[in-house]
Amino acid sequence: PRVIFSGIQPTGIPHLGNLLGALNNWVKLQQNARADDQLLFCIAGWHALTLPQDPAELSSARRDMIAVLLSIGLDPERSIIFHQDDNPHHTSLAWIFNCLTPMGKLRRMTTWKSRLVTARNANDESEVDESHLNVGLFTYPVLQAADILLYKATHVPVGEDQQQHLELCRDLADAVNRTYKSRVFPLPQHMITPSPRILSLRDPTSKMSKSAPEARSRIRLTDDADKIWSKMKAAVTDSQPIAYDPINRPGTTNLLTILAACTDEDVNEVAKRYSEKRHSDLKKDVAEVVNEMMRKPRAEFERLRKETEYLTKVGEVGAEKARSISERTMREVRRHVGLF
Ligand code: TYM
């Protein structure tokens, strides 16, 4: 049987990239799961702390994320939905993994390197000052490996930006198995789901992100039809005939990708259909399909986010189930390392 695990940080209302790259796939996986598959989806509160957070905002985003996961169609009877920070085993296992992870490996993580770019000395590009970056940011991928292996997950559906983290996770699983000469952990696989990388609407050379300063760069689950249309109108494209060309025409290609993902079509078919049309037609149609895709979950989210007691209950039940699984793994790991 498969154990499917994934996570999302509670750092705000999810955007189109999170939905098309991850969340919608989680729902599809749940729908198509075999009876003996186990599914777990965690809200990674501890990961969120690696960047500065306003406590009140984090707290409401943390609760909202449960509402998001339910509103898109995850079913707490079928999937274990829980807060990572409700289960202390995550940090316990992460500590053990920290002690097995060479610094050099973490220095090679592209997510860490992209943090270093912001720490570059303005006068001398080769001089990098990491002294003010927090340790949590550095060991972020180790905690992520603990999230996954705590449940002996075999499959991890994430966007391609998480590929390297997953490789580290496999390396750690392998290291533990070799060191203790026992098959403690499976080597989890990146799940090949048709998850496109969605780019910023304002700067299509970078990915759509929750933290980019410009609000028009992303469409959020809570945006209504008018807002979606105004952001779509402001999307950066070009003036050549419409065609699929990710390298030279990222803006136009991004819109085609979004359209194809929302309608479950092949992106080349979509590109062909629009080859004679104008960018304004494409934008109008993208705004419409995005609005259509988000209509139900958006309404459901607005309804559910007020049901605070119910949301708390769902989180508690999920955490209880998660802890009872991870308890077994921790006992096993502690026995191997000598902490018994
Ligand atoms: P987070 O919250 O940054 O992103 C959640 C998911 O959304 C995907 N994603 C995108 N996909 C396509 N286009 C985009 N522009 C885009 N932006 C984000 C991400 O690939 C991700 O799947 N480290 C994880 C959270 C995590 C986790 C885990 C994941 C913590 N523990 C264990 C899997 C397993 C993250 O950064 O999520």
Side-chain angles (χ1 to χ4, degrees), residues 8-14 18 43-44 47-49 51-53 57-58 61-62 65 210-211 220:
I8 184 164
Q9 300 186 65
T11 44
I13 306 291
N18 299 130
I43 299 167
H47 279 110
L49 291 183
L51 293 178
Q53 302 290 343
E57 270 172 38
L58 176 60
R62 182 179 177 278
M65 194 54 87
K210 287 185 222 153
S211 54
R220 289 177 179 268

Side-chain angles (χ1 to χ4, degrees), residues 5-9 15 17-18 21-22 44 47 140 144 147-148 156 158-159 161-162 196-198 207-208 210:
F5 185 99
S6 198
I8 184 164
Q9 300 186 65
H15 53 67
N18 299 130
H47 279 110
Y140 181 115
Q144 184 163 345
D147 296 342
I148 296 166
V156 185
V158 280
D161 59 330
Q162 299 294 317
R197 186 176 138 94
I198 306 299
K207 70 171 185 176
M208 188 176 284
K210 287 185 222 153

Side-chain angles (χ1 to χ4, degrees), residues 200-202 208 213-219 230-232 234-235:
S200 159
L201 297 179
R202 297 295 297 162
M208 188 176 284
E214 203 178 349
R216 289 188 305 174
S217 69
R218 62 186 156 259
I219 291 172
S230 77
K231 288 180 180 178
M232 203 46 73

